[in-house]
Amino acid sequence: MKKEIINDDFSMVPAKSYWSDVGRRFLKNRIALLGALILGIIVFMCAAAPLFTQYDPVKDMVLGDMLLPPGTPGHILGTDDYGRDIFSRLLYGGRTSVLTGLSVAIVSAAVGVTLGCISGYFGGIIDNLIMRFTDIMMSFPFLIIAIAIMAALGSSQKNIVIALAIVSWPRFARLTRGQVLSIKTQEYVESANTAGYSDMRIMFNHILPNCMGPIIVQLTLAVGSAILSAASLNFLGLGVDASLPDWGVMLNQGRNYLQTASYLTTIPGIAISLTVLAVNWIGDGLRDAFDPRLRV
């Protein structure tokens, strides 16, 4: 049954749900909406790349059209040192970069949230073991571990996702554990225990749904962080094959032409910065929307 509240004039009106309140406050944040608009345009153009460009990002190489500057007829953003269209490689490269960021965030969240929920709910030796292992993972430099894992696994997009997920899950684990510790003492959780519900049901049906606000915010911010980290690995030559379109690979290939053709690094650099900025704006908007101290 839908809950109702008494208005000032003693009339009964439907009570606003928590999620509708969060959505209302997010939609009032203009910066967050701008970020969502920018990200939506980037994702749409990358997903529908064949509609915006006629060139194949890998096969269409014209050696006579090498290093054409932006604005050249037929090549709006110019060409690279192999005569490939930069606009085409930018759109198709966005697919790789954005998909990698989403994949890393989802995998690391799935692992971290599960371990954090188990750690916070059961406590004791299980909590100590999981949290000490989390401390060990967080004590090493983020990118150094990723580079070591990539060196061991080899270069591929799948291995980038695995490497970055391995070093990203501790943040989700710590966040979820803190939320579970504060929620498991609530009366409705104690009532579920008294009713004889299983631990799995209590964790994932009663506790976890009430932790989703901070987790969603962290998930959003993790996408931007993963895009930057994946671009760093690709720039160092530890990611996808150099012939494949990717923003990090484009940065690496353009570094030899910084003085003669700086647009080779400027264009993918702007794409990375704009995407990460849009994701962070969305994350900030979600953080403010979920913050109970800002609820009116």
Side-chain angles (χ1 to χ4, degrees), residues 100-113 115-116 133-134 137-143 145-146 149 159-176 215 218-219 221-230 233:
T100 299
L102 288 173
S103 300
V104 170
I106 292 173
V107 172
S108 57
V111 175
V113 169
L115 291 178
F133 182 64
T134 302
M137 292 294 299
M138 297 185 71
S139 65
F140 292 98
F142 180 89
L143 195 58
I145 299 181
I149 296 173
N159 290 342
I160 288 180
V161 174
I162 295 174
L164 294 180
I166 289 175
V167 297
S168 299
W169 68 263
R171 294 182 177 87
F172 287 95
R174 278 203 166 277
L175 174 65
T176 305
I215 292 174
Q218 179 62 32
L219 181 67
L221 298 176
V223 174
S225 177
I227 291 175
L228 281 176
S229 299
L233 291 174

Side-chain angles (χ1 to χ4, degrees), residues 39-54:
L39 184 63
I41 293 174
I42 292 173
V43 171
F44 172 74
M45 292 188 67
C46 292
L51 299 178
F52 297 100
T53 179
Q54 58 181 340

Side-chain angles (χ1 to χ4, degrees), residues 224-243:
S225 177
I227 291 175
L228 281 176
S229 299
S232 300
L233 291 174
N234 286 319
F235 178 78
L236 294 173
L238 297 172
V240 298
D241 187 86
S243 64

Side-chain angles (χ1 to χ4, degrees), residues 89-90 227-228 230-232 234-236 246-258 262-273:
R89 289 182 63 79
L90 190 72
I227 291 175
L228 281 176
S232 300
N234 286 319
F235 178 78
L236 294 173
D246 180 87
W247 291 344
V249 171
M250 294 174 69
L251 285 174
N252 184 30
Q253 294 174 340
R255 63 188 175 90
N256 296 323
Y257 301 91
L258 287 175
S262 60
Y263 61 89
L264 292 178
T265 54
T266 302
I267 291 173
I270 292 175
I272 294 172
S273 301

